[in-house]
Amino acid sequence: MNLVLNPNKILRQKCIEVDFTKVSEQELEDIGRQMLEIMYNNNGVGLAHPQVAGNNRIFVMGNKKTSEIVINPEIEKQSALIEKEEEGCLSFPELWMPVKRAKTILAKWNMTNGRVKREFFSDFEARCFQHELDHLDGICFDKRVSKLVLDRATNKKRKLRKNARQN
């Protein structure tokens, strides 16, 4: 597995649900472990299967102390309260943009053993869950902002890279 970068077309494709009758818990754990390792090695907090050239509804999120392998996720409820905060994405290196997301969500997903888990997330964790779920639907964060915001962020990234090369 390797990290996939924009503009790879796989990042824009909707992923398929994991069929627990066709894949073992061990296979799912292995996929999750590999994805977590890539996420940690790239200083990320979330990574979706299409970001490593997969097409299953799987993502990982968290840190080395506490992490989740999330399979077939859904958002059952979300708050009406929306917050706009900076987001980055491992598939869009050095690109940061303010994105609107629900402040709190009730999420549901399968664990590697197929059991269902539900959890409320708020603030940063809710944002991360929503960002990774978007990836599974073929939506990258550049589609969650206006062209003006994307252009400004892209220009800022270019200037930072240019300045780094000059120093």
Side-chain angles (χ1 to χ4, degrees):
M1 270 187 207
N2 292 304
L3 185 60
V4 171
L5 301 178
N6 187 55
N8 191 307
K9 289 179 184 176
I10 198 164
L11 296 172
R12 309 288 179 179
Q13 296 173 358
K14 189 167 180 152
C15 295
I16 58 173
E17 286 211 6
V18 172
D19 181 345
F20 286 90
T21 65
K22 294 182 179 176
V23 63
S24 72
E25 181 177 355
Q26 186 60 54
E27 288 173 293
L28 292 169
E29 297 236 351
D30 289 345
I31 290 168
R33 259 194 305 280
Q34 289 177 58
M35 289 175 64
L36 285 166
E37 193 63 33
I38 291 167
M39 182 183 82
Y40 299 146
N41 289 342
N42 288 279
N43 299 312
V45 294
L47 184 70
H49 205 221
Q51 292 180 276
V52 291
N55 71 338
N56 290 299
R57 294 187 71 78
I58 301 171
F59 70 75
V60 295
M61 62 183 269
N63 56 51
K64 289 187 179 183
K65 291 180 186 170
T66 174
S67 60
E68 290 280 352
I69 300 171
V70 177
I71 303 167
N72 299 335
E74 298 173 29
I75 295 175
E76 292 188 316
K77 294 181 184 176
Q78 63 183 41
S79 66
L81 182 58
I82 303 295
E83 291 186 329
K84 185 192 269 190
E85 298 288 337
E86 283 293 290
E87 283 186 24
C89 180
L90 294 178
S91 292
F92 292 74
E94 301 167 16
L95 188 66
W96 294 88
M97 298 180 290
V99 179
K100 293 179 184 177
R101 303 270 185 200
K103 181 175 173 59
T104 60
I105 61 171
L106 172 60
K108 170 185 157 186
W109 69 93
N110 296 101
M111 297 182 291
T112 56
N113 61 13
R115 288 195 198 116
V116 173
K117 184 171 182 177
R118 280 185 174 83
E119 190 169 338
F120 278 101
F121 293 109
S122 61
D123 303 313
F124 184 76
E125 288 178 319
R127 177 170 296 282
C128 185
F129 195 99
Q130 292 169 83
H131 178 109
E132 300 311 328
L133 181 57
D134 270 356
H135 273 299
L136 302 183
D137 291 328
I139 301 166
C140 294
F141 81 143
D142 63 331
K143 297 300 180 202
R144 292 279 182 204
V145 299
S146 69
K147 181 167 177 4
L148 178 64
V149 169
L150 178 59
D151 289 347
R152 283 182 180 164
T154 303
N155 287 336
K156 183 176 180 180
K157 174 182 164 178
R158 276 193 208 113
K159 286 178 186 175
L160 289 172
R161 281 188 172 175
K162 183 179 177 183
N163 290 341
R165 280 188 298 239
Q166 291 174 348
N167 291 335

